[in-house]
């Protein structure tokens, strides 16, 4: 078990390093491959209508004229030990972990991102609880009552859930139930306001995932019920209820939990559509704004954060899977 | 001997499918006495598993008719929850593939403990002791350690032993073993059969041993039932069936037994063709498309279904050939070929 843990942890770290390299390369090399000069690149960091002097200064400060390896080294060093950025007279210190400095907002990227984490976390975790409970129970019931009115009705709704885009269901629910829109309130300052404002985004986001999970669970459950070990459980004289709960559910839910972990990991990096639709100041919203403003340091920072969540989630999922399925160990 | 412990009369099991009605078992009758062993033999698709699942009450979508009397109680008309109470306790079953038949996420011990606790209100500690005891009795070394292993940590033979331990944990009066050795190495097969025979003696269990290989049942079964297309074509004591079989299909099965002293090409008695469709069962004797003697009976083999009739006491055969012809064919034609040059 210990060796397994060490191996998976090392793998996760390696994966993060590779992700950072790839992300870095995309943002720093690809534009040049596409024919951008270093000057044009530097100009993007300065803002609208930059002067040649500003460009030169930025190039110098960011080391854009240095080899890519050196630039990557500086970037990593910034994450570990912090980094200084200077514009003419004043020097800005970007404390560790420094994921870059936005010259457009004149702020380091990391603190802004951290500010937005609670919003996205609140949205993702709340929705996840709702969709896991509803999606899985509907899926299980549908499988057990396959072909009945309940099953058919549930699957039609589920089909709608997976096909309707978030901005449609989101805007519709806003128009129907909360025409004034929602405002994020931190849980710590007003738990009730937190919940009441997030309710619609939760339900909208959960509807999509619950639909997916209901379909997945139903399919998994139907397959599990044909397994030989289910027949064995019945042959022992086990009550059907226990055949379902102790034998079938255990086997059906294990792979679903894997998907669940990865979905949460993905959402923590920003529920882009939901946050945009409901104007929630989360990580996804930050990413959209960064892209719209062509603010490369921000985009780089948010990409790395999202990658981090995915890597951590898959690590957690691997460990949980090893606990849940005895065949996985080592 | 007294009354039979299990009596199956005119059992029919049918499945409605998109292609039509599948007649998996079509008027099957047999009896089994306490502590006896019945071998059911037949090619793939002849309805052996469907029959055993019908006895266990494990069919969900099937249409069942006829009678299955277990200790005088009719299982076909019994309420589902009542038959559930008999499963595991009065009758138990083991299956072909012991790996897929055990839950991969629970230890072998847990699965036996569960089986025991369904029918006995005892603490887990007591049930665990019983599970270890059972694992020891089926010949698993260091059972107090292996009880906490998962199925995938057992070898194939050990897994089937564990399945047997689980099936016998509640001391059933009937054990159905559906091809218990098919998925195992040849070397292990004989051990498992020996184990079943030994345990049957200790537990005083009646056994139905299902196989498509006559060789497997030859030593262990008291009586043998040969099935074809969901029906019994021949039924006799083991001795009689091997010394004077009368049905052409049984001759074919005997002819396809692997033998050490002859080359496969020398086997003159292989059954030609493939098993029949169970949706459009051939008219008359269902075996006629593959039977070398069908013409000997004029039209009868093609038009009328042969009934299962006694040719001597305790020897039932479903074939239109006159008894004397069957005896003569066996003595002059079949037996010499089986014994080889
Ligand atoms: N649930 C079902 N629905 C439809 N047809 C079925 C069903 N179960 C079994 N059958 C059919 O019934 C026939 C007999 O099946 P059965 O499993 O009893 O054969 P078998 O004698 O056990 O063969 P094998 O040696 O391959 O195990 C087969 O043709 C099979 O396709
Ligand atoms: S009844 Fe006819 S076809 Fe059927 S086994 Fe006898 S001889 Fe062959
Ligand atoms: Mg079978």
């Amino acid at each position: 078990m210990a060796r397994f843990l060490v191996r998976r942890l090392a793998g996760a770290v390696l994966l993060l390093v590779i992700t950072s390299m790839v992300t870095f390369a995309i943002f720093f090399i690809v534009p040049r491959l596409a024919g951008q000069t270093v000057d044009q690149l530097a100009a993007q960091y300065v803002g609208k209508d930059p002067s040649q002097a500003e460009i030169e200064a930025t190039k110098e400060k960011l080391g854009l004229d240095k080899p890519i390896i050196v630039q990557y080294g500086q970037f990593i060093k910034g994450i570990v030990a912090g980094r200084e950025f200077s514009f003419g007279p004043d020097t800005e210190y970007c404390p560790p972990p420094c994921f870059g400095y936005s010259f457009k907002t004149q702020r380091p990227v990391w603190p802004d991102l951290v500010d937005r984490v609670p919003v996205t976390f609140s949205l993702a975790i709340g929705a996840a609880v709702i969709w896991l409970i509803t999606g899985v129970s509907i899926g299980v019931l549908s499988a057990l009552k396959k072909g009945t009115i309940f099953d058919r009705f549930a699957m039609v709704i589920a089909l709608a859930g997976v096909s309707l885009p978030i901005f449609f269901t989101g805007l519709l629910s806003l128009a129907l139930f909360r025409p004034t829109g929602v405002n994020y309130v931190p849980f710590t300052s007003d738990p009730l306001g937190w919940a009441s404002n997030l309710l619609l985004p939760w339900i909208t986001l959960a509807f999509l995932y619950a639909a997916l999970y209901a379909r997945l669970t139903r399919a998994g459950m139907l397959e599990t019920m044909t397994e030989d070990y289910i027949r064995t459980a019945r042959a022992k004289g086990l009550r059907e209820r226990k055949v379902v709960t102790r034998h079938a559910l255990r086997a059906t839910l294990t792979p679903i939990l894997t998907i669940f972990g990865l979905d949460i990991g993905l959402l923590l990096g920003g529920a882009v559509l939901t946050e945009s639709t409901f104007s929630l100041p989360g990580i996804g919203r930050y990413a959209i704004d960064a892209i719209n403003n062509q603010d490369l340091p921000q985009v780089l920072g948010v990409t790395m954060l999202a990658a981090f969540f995915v890597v951590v989630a898959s690590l957690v999922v691997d460990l949980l899977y090893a606990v849940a399925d005895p065949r996985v160990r080592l | 001997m007294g009354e039979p412990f299990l009596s199956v009369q005119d059992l029919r099991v049918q499945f409605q499918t998109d292609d039509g009605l599948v007649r998996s078992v079509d008027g099957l009758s047999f009896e089994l006495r306490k502590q006896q062993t019945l071998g059911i033999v037949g090619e793939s698709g002849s309805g052996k598993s469907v029959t055993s699942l019908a006895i266990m009450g494990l069919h969900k979508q099937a249409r069942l008719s006829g009678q299955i009397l277990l200790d005088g109680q009719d299982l076909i008309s019994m309420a589902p929850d009542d038959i559930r109470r008999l499963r595991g306790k009065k009758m138990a079953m083991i299956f072909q593939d012991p790996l897929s038949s055990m839950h991969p996420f629970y230890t072998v011990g847990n699965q036996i403990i569960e089986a025991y606790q369904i029918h006995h209100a005892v603490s887990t500690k007591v049930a665990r002791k019983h599970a270890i005891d059972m694992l020891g009795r089926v010949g698993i070394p260091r059972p107090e350690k292996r009880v906490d292993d998962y199925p995938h940590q057992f070898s194939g033979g050990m897994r089937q032993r564990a399945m047997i331990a689980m099936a016998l944990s509640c001391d059933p009066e009937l054990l159905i073993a559906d091809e218990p050795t098919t998925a195992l190495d040849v070397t292990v097969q004989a051990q498992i059969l020996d184990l079943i025979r030994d345990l049957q003696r200790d537990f005083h269990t009646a056994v139905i041993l299902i196989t498509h290989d006559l060789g497997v049942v030859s030593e262990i079964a008291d009586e043998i039932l040969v099935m074809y297309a969901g029906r019994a074509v021949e039924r006799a004591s083991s001795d009689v069936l091997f010394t004077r079989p009368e049905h052409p299909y049984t001759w074919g099965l005997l002819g396809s037994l692997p033998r050490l002293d002859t080359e496969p090409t020398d086997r003159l008695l292989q059954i030609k063709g493939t098993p029949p469709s169970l949706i459009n069962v051939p008219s008359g004797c269902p075996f006629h498309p593959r039977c070398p003697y069908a013409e000997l009976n004029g039209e009868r083999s093609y038009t009328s279904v042969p009934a299962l009739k006694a040719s001597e006491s305790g020897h039932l055969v479903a074939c239109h050939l006159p008894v004397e012809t069957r005896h003569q064919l066996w003595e002059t034609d079949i037996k010499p070929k089986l014994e080889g040059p």
Side-chain angles (χ1 to χ4, degrees):
Chain A
M1 191 68 190
R3 250 175 58 196
F4 177 82
L5 242 166
V6 169
R7 216 174 50 205
R8 283 302 155 93
L9 265 173
V13 170
L14 186 70
L15 195 59
L16 271 178
V17 171
I18 293 174
T19 315
S20 74
M21 285 180 176
V22 172
T23 319
F24 194 83
I26 288 173
F27 286 111
F28 284 81
I29 303 178
V30 171
R32 289 198 205 175
L33 291 181
Q36 264 193 336
T37 63
V38 178
D39 278 10
Q40 286 169 330
L41 205 59
Q44 288 181 5
Y45 288 87
V46 185
K48 294 228 160 60
D49 304 322
S51 71
Q52 189 59 36
E54 279 174 321
I55 290 178
E56 289 301 326
T58 312
K59 232 159 68 178
E60 170 85 38
K61 303 290 143 32
L62 289 180
L64 288 179
D65 42 0
K66 299 213 179 73
I68 178 84
I69 300 291
V70 176
Q71 292 187 42
Y72 179 70
Q74 281 181 332
F75 179 71
I76 294 296
K77 185 173 158 267
I79 295 177
V80 180
R83 197 174 162 189
E84 281 187 348
F85 294 91
S86 53
F87 319 83
D90 23 275
T91 299
E92 293 287 338
Y93 178 62
C94 173
C98 176
F99 278 86
Y101 188 92
S102 164
F103 298 94
K104 293 188 180 161
T105 59
Q106 309 247 318
R107 293 166 57 83
V109 170
W110 181 251
D112 282 359
L113 270 178
V114 169
D115 276 354
R116 285 155 182 270
V117 164
V119 181
T120 299
F121 266 55
S122 302
L123 174 63
I125 303 297
V129 170
I130 298 175
W131 93 57
L132 186 67
I133 292 173
T134 54
V136 164
S137 9
I138 290 173
V140 168
L141 285 177
S142 260
L144 294 178
K145 299 177 183 298
K146 186 187 169 208
T148 60
I149 302 279
F150 173 86
D151 176 33
R152 279 162 210 221
F153 185 70
M155 285 305 112
V156 168
I157 302 282
L159 188 64
V162 292
S163 349
L164 294 177
I166 293 256
F167 48 83
F168 175 77
T169 47
L171 290 177
L172 187 69
S173 66
L174 272 179
L176 286 177
F177 303 110
R178 205 147 172 159
T180 53
V182 300
N183 289 303
Y184 178 75
V185 189
F187 178 79
T188 39
S189 61
D190 177 8
L192 228 80
W194 173 82
S196 67
N197 274 288
L198 279 173
L199 194 60
L200 275 190
W202 280 342
I203 292 175
T204 305
L205 185 56
F207 181 44
L208 166 68
Y209 281 92
L212 276 169
Y213 277 56
R215 287 157 63 97
L216 270 177
T217 308
R218 180 180 181 273
M221 191 73 182
L222 284 177
E223 199 186 311
T224 306
M225 291 306 280
T226 66
E227 293 282 355
D228 286 352
Y229 55 79
I230 296 296
R231 186 182 58 192
T232 306
R234 289 188 178 130
K236 290 198 246 187
L238 203 60
R239 278 175 206 281
E240 191 62 19
R241 191 164 40 80
K242 283 198 171 169
V243 172
V244 169
T245 52
R246 287 195 56 177
H247 291 251
L249 270 185
R250 174 84 194 269
T252 308
L253 290 190
T254 306
I256 301 256
L257 284 181
T258 310
I259 301 166
F260 182 63
L262 292 177
D263 279 342
I264 290 188
L266 275 171
L267 277 182
L268 290 184
V272 176
L273 284 177
T274 315
E275 289 173 18
S276 304
T277 307
F278 290 95
S279 305
L280 290 170
I283 297 169
R285 195 53 208 279
Y286 183 90
I288 291 285
D289 291 345
I291 291 167
N292 282 340
N293 298 332
Q294 298 197 8
D295 194 332
L296 275 182
Q298 286 190 343
V299 177
L300 183 59
V302 77
T303 308
M304 299 253 335
L305 183 69
F308 172 77
F309 284 132
V310 171
V311 170
V312 169
S314 63
L315 178 70
V316 171
V317 158
D318 278 355
L319 295 180
L320 285 182
Y321 204 97
V323 173
D325 186 341
R327 289 169 301 183
V328 173
R329 245 160 248 157
L330 279 173
Chain B
M1 287 260 195
E3 276 295 289
F5 168 63
L6 172 72
S7 159
V8 174
Q9 298 305 324
D10 197 28
L11 176 68
R12 280 163 217 275
V13 186
Q14 305 176 336
F15 300 95
Q16 189 65 60
T17 68
D18 294 341
D19 300 327
L21 191 66
V22 181
R23 297 167 200 276
S24 295
V25 177
D26 208 26
L28 182 69
S29 304
F30 63 86
E31 293 89 31
L32 177 61
R33 289 172 207 286
K34 283 205 163 124
Q35 303 181 37
Q36 295 276 297
T37 302
L38 172 72
I40 301 185
V41 186
E43 283 170 298
S44 188
S46 52
K48 308 179 298 289
S49 297
V50 169
T51 303
S52 40
L53 293 176
I55 298 170
M56 294 292 289
L58 286 174
H59 283 302
K60 294 214 119 177
Q61 313 285 349
R63 287 195 210 157
L64 280 98
S65 68
Q67 215 181 31
I68 301 174
L69 292 178
L70 183 75
D71 233 359
Q73 291 177 287
D74 184 17
L75 301 183
I76 287 189
S77 56
M78 192 179 273
D81 201 56
D82 292 333
I83 194 166
R84 177 190 66 75
R85 277 175 232 272
L86 299 180
R87 279 203 290 271
K89 175 98 184 85
K90 201 155 177 114
M91 53 191 181
M93 186 161 174
I94 59 175
F95 304 94
Q96 179 170 336
D97 182 355
L99 180 58
S100 63
S101 297
M102 297 190 123
H103 201 298
F105 294 176
Y106 293 110
T107 61
V108 169
N110 265 334
Q111 301 188 50
I112 301 176
I113 290 169
E114 181 182 50
Y116 191 61
Q117 285 185 320
I118 294 169
H119 303 288
H120 299 87
V122 295
S123 70
T124 303
K125 214 177 133 194
V126 172
R128 186 183 157 85
K129 265 197 75 183
H130 184 67
I132 295 173
D133 192 42
M134 287 305 301
L135 286 175
R137 288 185 78 169
V138 297
I140 287 177
R142 294 186 305 132
E144 64 291 338
K145 292 249 165 18
R146 304 306 304 262
V147 71
D148 293 319
D149 278 355
Y150 289 93
H152 72 275
Q153 294 168 305
F154 276 46
S155 69
M158 288 295 162
R159 277 196 283 268
Q160 196 58 294
R161 283 173 193 266
M163 279 297 287
I164 294 171
M166 182 156 82
L168 295 182
S169 63
C170 295
D171 199 4
E173 289 163 77
L174 171 66
L175 174 69
I176 304 178
D178 189 353
E179 310 208 24
T181 60
T182 311
L184 304 177
D185 289 348
V186 185
T187 45
V188 185
Q189 291 187 357
Q191 296 170 11
I192 296 293
L193 290 174
D194 285 347
L195 177 71
I196 291 177
R197 190 167 41 190
D198 292 348
L199 289 173
Q200 169 178 30
R201 228 166 270 149
D202 298 355
F203 284 77
H204 309 294
T205 317
V207 171
I208 296 179
L209 179 66
I210 292 173
T211 167
H212 52 247
D213 180 358
L214 261 177
V216 165
V217 288
S218 59
E219 287 177 27
I220 180 168
D222 300 298
E223 208 185 0
I224 294 175
L225 170 75
V226 180
M227 278 185 80
Y228 189 79
R231 293 170 214 208
V233 293
E234 183 160 10
R235 219 173 95 193
S237 72
S238 199
D239 292 344
V240 169
L241 197 98
F242 282 97
T243 51
R244 42 179 192 281
E246 290 187 25
H247 197 282
Y249 178 64
T250 312
W251 297 341
L253 286 180
L254 285 167
S256 34
L257 280 181
R259 290 168 38 156
L260 296 174
D261 54 345
T262 44
E263 292 297 310
T265 44
D266 290 345
R267 279 192 237 133
L268 304 167
L269 284 166
Q270 301 264 34
I271 308 165
K272 296 173 196 72
T274 49
S277 148
L278 296 175
I279 297 174
N280 297 305
V281 184
S283 63
C285 171
F287 188 53
H288 84 246
R290 304 167 75 187
C291 179
Y293 311 105
E295 303 101 64
L296 297 183
N297 298 301
E299 285 296 296
R300 288 184 70 207
S301 288
Y302 305 98
T303 53
S304 94
V305 182
L308 194 65
K309 282 193 300 231
S311 68
E312 58 185 309
S313 170
H315 189 175
L316 302 168
V317 186
C319 176
H320 289 309
L321 290 172
V323 180
E324 306 76 49
T325 316
R326 298 195 299 240
H327 285 165
Q328 201 189 346
L329 280 170
W330 167 249
E331 288 297 337
T332 59
D333 200 19
I334 312 296
K335 201 166 143 196
K337 281 183 192 161
L338 284 178
E339 280 165 1

